[in-house]
Amino acid sequence: MKMNQIRPALSAFLLMVTMSLLSTALSFFVSPVCADLGFGRGSFTLYYSLMVAAGAVSASFLGTFMNKHGVRGVVLFSALWCGAGAWVFSFSGALWMFYVVGGLMGFVGSTCVYLAANVIVQQSYSGSNASAILGFVMAGSGIGGVVWSNLFPAVIANLGWRMGYRVLGTCWAALALLALVILGKRDLTGGIGHAHTAGDGASKQEALRSPKFFLAAYIMCAITVCSCISQQLPAVLGGMGRGEGEISLMLSVMTAFVAIGSVAEGVLCGRFGIVKTLGVVLGIYAVAFSLLAMGVGVYPALVGLALGGSALGTLMPVVVRQLFGGRDYAAIWSVVISCSSVASFLSTPGWGMIYDTFRTYTPALVAMPILQTAAIAAPVMAFRKKK
């Protein structure tokens, strides 16, 4: 590939690294902020749910806007808006401040940069190249997670959580702006489907009336509910008697496997098909939560969590694309993302509330394998009539 052909992939990769700031780094603030300000974990992490809810509201609008006008303006606004919002967090002392700022950040936060990365790939590459490059781009969230899992515990321990938020805001703005610089002035206003043949497939209205859409949405939501443990994972591991240094190492291993899983799942999907690949990944996810519930095999469990979580970005777009085609892919995918955002809005504080109620995460850990076992049947049902 020539450099001009590589630049969109590098730009999208950096956006996924940026996205991992919120999905990974924010989890390290839960314990120190709650200890310092006296918040309950459930009530505090509600601010993250408000971020997600705002993203669910804005997803369809942002997808349509990017489809017509490109990604640059939205990503630029996200860089400045979310960067400033994280700095405001550092001066917060009351729950309402976290709620208000978190909600405002959510409109152009993780959902925004995730959609932008997908738009860049879909509009710049086609065929097998698009699938391979999408796996590489999605691996950015895992690689970024490794960096943040080592950086932010050290920053918070040595400089405090307030300085940690300032570092987070600075990193968000710098990475998003760098992604725009690398992207350059390349024409990306052709819309999703510009690089693909978009004429075949269902319309948005047809898809939303199809039982297959609800099966796809259930898989997405089931994975999302489980992945929301990431905000509580340092606390979960701490409750198992793990020290801060070991927790940092564990999360580094986990996030490294997010990157590995993204690439591996893309390869396996091409080799064995989406149904078999997704079934195996969801099975591994169920086993991972079973191991955590029993308090054994923590490292294998974390690897399983990484592989399951990476399916959101790597396998679920394939599910939607193969079920409904490319005709209205952007609109349909935006609705599926909104469903995932609603699930995250409900389950993120739910994890904390379960701990606040039972003083343990075990009830939730036991329930997750049941959720994933049901999800394994969903792709079989959704694709059973496909030849």
Side-chain angles (χ1 to χ4, degrees), residues 4 42 52 79 133 158 228 230 241 251 269 277-278 282 328 340:
N4 191 49
V52 174
I133 290 170
N158 291 287
C228 285
S230 63
L251 295 183
C269 184
T277 302
L278 190 56
L282 294 177
D328 271 353
S340 174

Side-chain angles (χ1 to χ4, degrees), residues 274-326:
I274 186 62
V275 175
K276 292 180 180 178
T277 302
L278 190 56
V280 170
V281 170
L282 294 177
I284 292 173
Y285 216 13
V287 171
F289 278 99
S290 299
L291 292 175
L292 280 182
M294 294 184 290
V296 299
V298 176
Y299 278 98
L302 293 178
V303 171
L305 293 184
L307 297 178
S310 62
L312 282 173
T314 306
L315 296 182
M316 288 311 300
V318 177
V319 170
V320 173
R321 180 79 184 189
Q322 290 192 10
L323 282 177
F324 305 112

Side-chain angles (χ1 to χ4, degrees), residues 33 46 51 135 199 248 264 288 317 322 349:
V33 172
L46 181 58
M51 279 187 180
S248 179
Q322 290 192 10

Side-chain angles (χ1 to χ4, degrees), residues 92-245:
S92 299
L95 278 174
W96 70 266
M97 297 179 70
F98 285 96
Y99 294 166
V100 171
V101 176
L104 292 174
M105 288 174 63
F107 283 107
V108 288
S110 292
T111 300
C112 169
V113 294
Y114 174 71
L115 281 172
N118 274 274
V119 167
I120 291 171
V121 172
Q122 294 290 340
Q123 292 183 352
S124 302
Y125 306 99
S126 61
S128 59
N129 284 338
S131 300
I133 290 170
L134 181 61
F136 162 75
V137 167
M138 292 300 121
S141 63
I143 294 173
V146 173
V147 176
W148 312 136
S149 294
N150 286 277
L151 175 63
F152 280 94
V155 170
I156 294 171
N158 291 287
L159 302 176
W161 62 267
R162 295 185 186 276
M163 182 58 70
Y165 276 125
R166 294 165 194 161
V167 173
L168 189 154
T170 302
C171 289
W172 181 283
L175 286 169
L177 291 174
L178 180 58
L180 289 179
V181 171
I182 292 175
L183 182 61
K185 297 182 179 180
R186 184 184 179 90
D187 180 17
L188 292 174
T189 58
I192 293 179
H194 177 68
H196 297 277
T197 301
D200 297 331
S203 67
K204 177 182 177 181
Q205 291 73 23
E206 291 170 341
L208 295 182
R209 291 195 298 266
S210 170
K212 294 181 179 181
F213 172 82
F214 295 98
L215 291 171
Y218 173 76
I219 302 169
M220 189 79 168
C221 291
I223 300 174
T224 299
V225 169
C226 292
S227 69
C228 285
I229 193 179
S230 63
Q231 292 299 307
Q232 304 286 339
L233 201 50
V236 171
L237 297 174
M240 295 179 177
R242 310 288 179 164
E244 290 185 2

